[in-house]
Amino acid sequence: MIWNKDKETMSRADMRALQGKRLHKLVEYVYHNVPFYRDKMQQADITPDDIRSIDDITLLPFTTKQDLRDNYPFGLQAAPASEIVRIHASSGTTGKPTIVGYSRRDIDVWSECMTRCLTAYGIGRDDIFSVAYGYGLFTGGLGVHYGVENLGASVVPTSTGNTEKHIRLITDLGISGIACTPSYALHLAETMEKMGVTKSDLKLRSGAFGAEPWTENMRKEIESRLGLKAYNLYGLSEIMGPCVSYECECQNGSHINEDHFFPEIIDPNTLEPLPYGTTGELVFTTLTKTGMPLLRYRTRDLCSITDEPCPCGRTNVRMSSIIGRSDDMLIIRGINVFPSQVESVLLSIPECAPYYRIVVDRVNNLDTITVQVEIRPEQFDGEVDTLNPIFELEKKVKSHLKSVLSISPIVQIKQPGSIERVDGKTKVVTDLRNIK
Ligand code: ADP
Ligand code: ZN
C-alpha cells in the first residue's frame, strides 16, 4: 500500500518542478524572516530571485550544527513565537542539544510523512502499534505517535523502560507493529526469552527501527528473534524527526519524503555536490517547514542516494543505510574505522552475541582499539578467563576484524549479559584519547 500516491509516485520531472517551486518560496521566506540567512545570502550576493529551479540550490549557503549552537536557542526560527506549537531538543549525542520549534503546519507535515512510512511498513487501521521510542524532548516518541494516529491505527504509547510490562502488553493486546531503536529491539527479544515468551506467542509482524545506525546483520538478528519484518526509519530533529526517510517492502534503501526534505550528497571536505551513487555527507533542505526551516543542513551522516526505480512503485529517491556519522568515524593510527564495520563483522560470527562496545585509547603514543563482545549464552558454560574455547574465539574475532579493518584490535570476550543494555540510543564508542 502507498499512502500518498500523488507524492510518492510522481514522475521525476514533476517532482523536480515541485521542489523548485517550493525552494523559491522557502528562500523568500527565510530571506525576510531569518537575519542569519539574509546576511549569508547578501554576503554571497544572491537574492531570492536568483533561485528559480531546484538546480539553483547549490548557490545557497550551508547550515551546520555549529550555526544552530551559535544561534541558540531561537535564532534560526523563522516563525514568530505565536506560531510555534511544539519545541523539541535533539538528543545531544555530540554535544549541547539543539532546540527546534515546530509550527502547527510542521506537525501536520510530520504526521503525513510518518503515515507514509507506516503504510510502507504494512501497517493499517486494524493494527495495534507500540511506540517504544522515548517520549519527551527526543522526537522519536511523539513523532511516530502522531503518524500512527493520523493513519488511524491504535497507538500504544509504551515509551522506554519497564520492558517486562511492555512484553506483557505485546502478548495480551496482540500488538502487531512496533517502533524503537534497534538496540532496544534486541533488549526486548532478550527479556522475552528470559520470561519464557516465544515469538510464536506474539502477533508482531512489522517493526520500524532507527535513531541509530544498524547493519544488515543486525536486521537478520532482530527479524529472526522477534519474528517480524524490520524496516529502517530515519530522521533527525533539526529537519523534522522520524519520517524523513523509510524503507518499503523491498528493504533496499530508504525512500526520502523529498517533496518536503530535499536531499543532496556532498564531499564533506570540499563541500562539492556528489552524483547519485557516491557516498558522502547527506545534506537536507526543508522545503515546506515554517517553524525553523533550514537551508542545506549538513547532517554529518554518511550515505549514498539512488534514483533507480524501485519495484514497489514509489519514485522518490532512496538513501542507503547510514554507514556512520562523519564525526563518529574513528581514525586509528591513520586508518578510518566506522563502528558499523565492527558490528557487521561481529554479527557474522555465530558465537558472538549482538552486544558490543568499542574503546579507543592511546598507549605510549600509539592508538589502540579494544572490541568487547559478549559470547552467546548457548556457547557459554563456564568462566570467560580460563576456557580454551574463549581463547579460540578471541583469536577468531581478532582475525576477522583485522581482515576488514586493516588494523589489529584487542578483543575481549565478555560473559552473557555483562554489557549494559539501553532503552534509547546506544553509545557504542568510548574514546579515551579525548579526555587525556
Ligand atoms: P542527535 O544528533 O543529538 O543524536 P537526533 O535525536 O535528532 O539528534 O538524532 C538524529 C541522528 O540519529 C541522525 O542524524 C543519525 O545520525 C541518527 N539516525 C537516526 N535515524 C537513523 C537510522 N535509521 N539509521 C542510522 N542513523 C540514524
Ligand atoms: Zn520502494
Side-chain angles (χ1 to χ4, degrees):
M1 278 276 288
I2 295 179
W3 176 256
N4 188 333
K5 276 229 162 80
D6 179 30
K7 295 298 185 314
E8 291 173 273
T9 63
M10 233 179 199
S11 76
R12 295 302 309 152
D14 287 352
M15 177 59 82
R16 289 190 74 80
L18 177 70
Q19 289 167 330
K21 234 169 65 194
R22 289 183 167 178
L23 181 66
H24 174 71
K25 252 176 93 177
L26 168 75
V27 171
E28 284 235 295
Y29 177 64
V30 297
Y31 190 83
H32 292 110
N33 292 285
V34 187
F36 168 84
Y37 281 127
R38 187 167 50 245
D39 292 350
K40 282 217 165 190
M41 286 175 63
Q42 281 171 349
Q43 278 160 24
D45 201 20
I46 44 175
T47 69
D49 281 342
D50 295 320
I51 309 299
R52 286 285 153 206
S53 81
I54 194 67
D55 295 323
D56 297 328
I57 197 162
T58 54
L59 300 172
L60 294 169
F62 288 103
T63 313
T64 63
K65 191 133 188 150
Q66 192 55 43
D67 294 327
L68 297 184
R69 290 193 177 129
D70 294 346
N71 292 279
Y72 178 89
F74 297 127
L76 292 189
Q77 206 164 278
S82 57
E83 298 285 313
I84 300 295
V85 299
R86 191 178 318 155
I87 294 171
H88 277 289
S90 82
S91 31
T93 313
T94 57
K96 192 169 160 187
T98 39
I99 303 297
V100 188
Y102 301 81
S103 68
R104 186 167 303 283
R105 174 150 184 254
D106 297 338
I107 301 286
D108 289 345
V109 168
W110 189 354
S111 308
E112 151 73 21
C113 289
M114 191 58 229
T115 309
R116 295 182 193 174
C117 309
L118 291 160
T119 308
Y121 305 151
I123 300 297
R125 295 179 62 112
D126 294 334
D127 283 291
I128 304 183
F129 195 94
S130 166
V131 179
Y133 279 123
Y135 279 64
L137 286 174
F138 173 53
T139 51
L142 284 171
V144 179
H145 183 106
Y146 272 57
V148 183
E149 283 192 349
N150 188 47
L151 170 68
S154 312
V155 62
V156 189
T158 38
S159 193
T160 50
N162 209 334
T163 308
E164 293 195 5
K165 183 171 176 190
H166 189 178
I167 290 163
R168 280 195 295 276
L169 285 172
I170 294 176
T171 50
D172 295 352
L173 310 188
I175 288 176
S176 47
I178 185 168
C180 60
T181 57
S183 41
Y184 191 62
L186 280 184
H187 182 46
L188 268 177
E190 193 182 40
T191 311
M192 217 173 77
E193 287 150 17
K194 276 195 199 131
M195 290 167 69
V197 176
T198 64
K199 60 184 175 189
S200 59
D201 300 325
L202 313 177
K203 292 221 174 74
L204 277 182
R205 25 178 208 88
S206 174
F209 303 111
E212 63 189 12
W214 55 310
T215 56
E216 276 308 312
N217 285 333
M218 184 68 112
R219 189 206 302 270
K220 283 189 210 130
E221 177 87 23
I222 294 173
E223 290 192 333
S224 80
R225 285 173 72 178
L226 287 177
L228 46 63
K229 262 190 110 171
Y231 297 97
N232 189 45
L233 171 60
Y234 170 87
L236 62 166
S237 31
E238 293 84 350
I239 298 305
M240 197 59 111
C243 84
V244 174
S245 74
Y246 54 100
E247 273 182 330
C248 61
E249 68 266 23
C250 306
Q251 294 177 306
N252 186 18
S254 299
H255 289 282
I256 297 174
N257 276 312
E258 52 169 330
D259 51 326
H260 296 290
F261 317 113
F262 182 76
E264 295 172 85
I265 297 285
I266 61 161
D267 178 323
N269 300 313
T270 64
L271 306 185
E272 285 304 315
L274 295 173
Y276 285 159
T278 315
T279 298
E281 181 179 342
L282 183 60
V283 170
F284 280 111
T285 298
T286 61
L287 294 175
T288 54
K289 234 175 149 187
T290 58
M292 193 187 81
L294 295 178
L295 299 183
R296 306 188 86 195
Y297 180 68
R298 295 185 55 186
T299 64
R300 299 182 293 181
D301 291 329
L302 302 172
C303 68
S304 63
I305 290 182
T306 175
D307 62 352
E308 304 243 315
C310 182
C312 75
R314 290 177 183 78
T315 51
N316 37 352
V317 295
R318 282 170 291 153
M319 56 188 255
S320 68
S321 52
I322 306 283
I323 60 167
R325 298 193 190 206
S326 55
D327 48 12
D328 76 19
M329 182 180 80
L330 296 163
I331 304 180
I332 314 282
R333 286 174 238 156
I335 293 174
N336 299 346
V337 175
F338 284 102
S340 59
Q341 292 175 298
V342 174
E343 178 176 301
S344 240
V345 171
L346 295 178
L347 268 64
S348 68
I349 301 171
E351 296 92 332
C352 291
Y355 307 101
Y356 67 96
R357 291 290 186 272
I358 300 168
V359 182
V360 182
D361 202 353
R362 183 162 289 154
V363 180
N364 299 329
N365 291 319
L366 196 67
D367 295 338
T368 60
I369 174 166
T370 304
V371 175
Q372 305 171 330
V373 60
E374 281 183 20
I375 183 168
R376 290 206 185 252
E378 59 274 21
Q379 305 282 332
F380 181 72
D381 56 2
E383 287 172 25
V384 270
D385 303 335
T386 49
L387 288 182
N388 215 21
I390 300 289
F391 180 64
E392 290 303 317
L393 179 56
E394 244 169 46
K395 275 206 327 212
K396 178 170 168 184
V397 174
K398 190 169 170 157
S399 94
H400 277 56
L401 282 169
K402 190 174 173 194
S403 70
V404 171
L405 307 179
S406 313
I407 46 167
S408 193
I410 301 162
V411 171
Q412 295 173 346
I413 304 296
K414 297 283 193 183
Q415 292 197 27
S418 59
I419 287 178
E420 193 198 356
R421 310 295 195 252
V422 294
D423 286 349
K425 295 191 192 223
T426 312
K427 189 170 179 291
V428 167
V429 179
T430 308
D431 195 338
L432 298 169
R433 294 175 300 185
N434 299 336
I435 53 172
K436 282 191 168 165

